[in-house]
Amino acid sequence: MRLILLGPPGSGKGTQGDLLVGRYGLPRISTGDMLREAASEGSELGIKAKQYMDAGELVPDELVFGIVRERLSRVDAGNGFFLDGFPRNTAQAEELDVVFAEIGHEIEAAVLLDVPREEVLRRLTGRRMCPVCHTAYHMVYHQPANDCVCDHDGAKLSQRDDDSEEVVSERLRVYEEQTKPLVDYYKSRGILVKIDGTGPVEEIFDRITKAL
Ligand code: AP5
C-alpha cells in the first residue's frame, strides 16, 4: 500500500497516519518529523530548514527531495508506506512521479482529510507533542493520562514552535496557495479519496479504511 495523506495543517494526517501504521504495519514517512529531527540535531540541513519552518513557509524543494529519496530507498519502505506532508506543491508531486517511475510502483491513493479552518485552528493551538516518539496530544481532545507527559515514554510534552496563532495563519495561507492545487492534481488521475476529517479520531479512521 502506497498512500499520500493530504490535508491542511492540523487536519489529522499524523494522527490517522499512526493508526494506519498500527493497522497495516507500514511506515509513516513524515517530512515534517524528519525536518524537525534534523533541526534538533543541528545539522546543516536542519539549521536551514528551521528558518522556513518557524516562519510557516515551505522548506525549499531541493532540501526536501534528498531526504525523501533517501527515506523511500530504505528497506522498510519496500512494501509500502504512508507519506505525510509530501508532496506539498506541484514540483514535489512531479518529483514523486519520477521517483515512482524509477522504482516501478504507483501511488495507489491520495487521502484528503477535509477539515474546516476553525477546527484546524482549535486543533493546532491546543496540540502538544512528545519530543521523543512524536505522538500528538491535544489539551482538550486527546489529553495524556498524566499531566503533560507522554503516555508511551514519559517525556515532557511541548508545543511545536510553529503552532503559535501567527505562524499557523501563515501555514494555512501557504496550504491554500501551494498544496491545495494537489487535490485537483490527484483528482484528475482518479486516485483522490476525500474523507470527512471531522468527528472522533476512531470514526475518521473507520471512514478511511472503508474507503480504501
Ligand atoms: P508538518 O509537520 O508536515 O505539519 P503540517 O502539514 O502543517 O501538519 P501538522 O503536523 O501540523 O498536522 P497534522 O495534519 O499531522 O495533524 P495532527 O494529527 O498532528 O510540516 C511542518 C513544516 O515543515 C511545514 O510548515 C514546512 O515548513 C515543513 N515541511 C514539511 N514537509 C515539507 C515539504 N514536503 N516541503 C517543504 N516543507 C515541508 O493533529 C493536530 C492536532 O489535532 C493534535 O493535537 C491532535 O491530537 C488533534 N486531533 C487530530 N485529530 C483530531 C480529531 N479528529 N478531533 C480532535 N482533535 C484531533
Side-chain angles (χ1 to χ4, degrees):
M1 191 180 273
R2 290 170 177 83
L3 296 187
I4 293 170
L5 295 167
L6 267 183
S11 55
K13 301 182 294 298
T15 302
Q16 296 300 328
D18 283 342
L19 292 175
L20 286 165
V21 172
R23 172 72 60 93
Y24 297 103
L26 298 169
R28 172 169 75 93
I29 298 182
S30 158
T31 41
D33 284 351
M34 291 191 285
L35 291 166
R36 276 185 290 279
E37 206 166 305
S40 69
E41 284 164 358
S43 67
E44 195 185 329
L45 162 73
I47 291 166
K48 278 189 197 153
K50 190 166 169 31
Q51 295 166 17
Y52 295 94
M53 295 169 83
D54 286 353
E57 307 298 333
L58 292 187
V59 174
D61 293 340
E62 60 274 19
L63 297 183
V64 180
F65 288 161
I67 57 167
V68 171
R69 273 185 173 273
E70 190 278 325
R71 183 63 187 87
L72 288 177
S73 71
R74 286 196 215 161
V75 178
D76 69 337
N79 290 327
F81 43 76
F82 308 111
L83 271 179
D84 167 0
F86 188 93
R88 228 141 161 145
N89 57 28
T90 310
Q92 293 186 7
E94 288 168 354
E95 171 73 5
L96 192 61
D97 290 341
V98 171
V99 174
F100 273 88
E102 283 170 12
I103 60 175
H105 287 297
E106 290 196 348
I107 302 157
E108 283 146 65
V111 177
L112 171 67
L113 294 172
D114 190 28
V115 181
R117 184 186 170 92
E118 316 77 60
E119 175 65 8
V120 296
L121 281 171
R122 266 195 296 275
R123 289 186 188 179
L124 290 176
T125 46
R127 172 167 59 185
R128 297 295 180 274
M129 299 294 300
C130 171
V132 176
C133 68
H134 306 302
T135 299
Y137 295 86
H138 191 279
M139 297 327 282
V140 178
Y141 300 137
H142 177 204
Q143 295 170 333
N146 293 310
D147 230 15
C148 289
V149 296
C150 179
D151 294 346
H152 306 296
D153 47 42
K156 193 174 180 311
L157 305 182
S158 57
Q159 189 169 30
R160 259 170 54 173
D161 290 342
D162 61 349
D163 274 350
S164 67
E165 233 170 290
E166 191 192 349
V167 180
V168 165
S169 299
E170 181 58 11
R171 286 163 62 199
L172 288 170
R173 190 195 65 73
V174 169
Y175 173 79
E176 289 292 322
E177 188 184 287
Q178 301 195 48
T179 311
K180 212 172 170 187
L182 296 184
V183 172
D184 285 338
Y185 186 89
Y186 289 115
K187 198 182 203 170
S188 69
R189 289 169 51 170
I191 58 166
L192 186 80
V193 178
K194 186 173 172 181
I195 300 289
D196 174 3
T198 61
V201 168
E202 297 72 22
E203 280 181 24
I204 300 165
F205 183 59
D206 208 37
R207 285 175 210 145
I208 296 174
T209 50
K210 283 198 174 115
L212 291 176

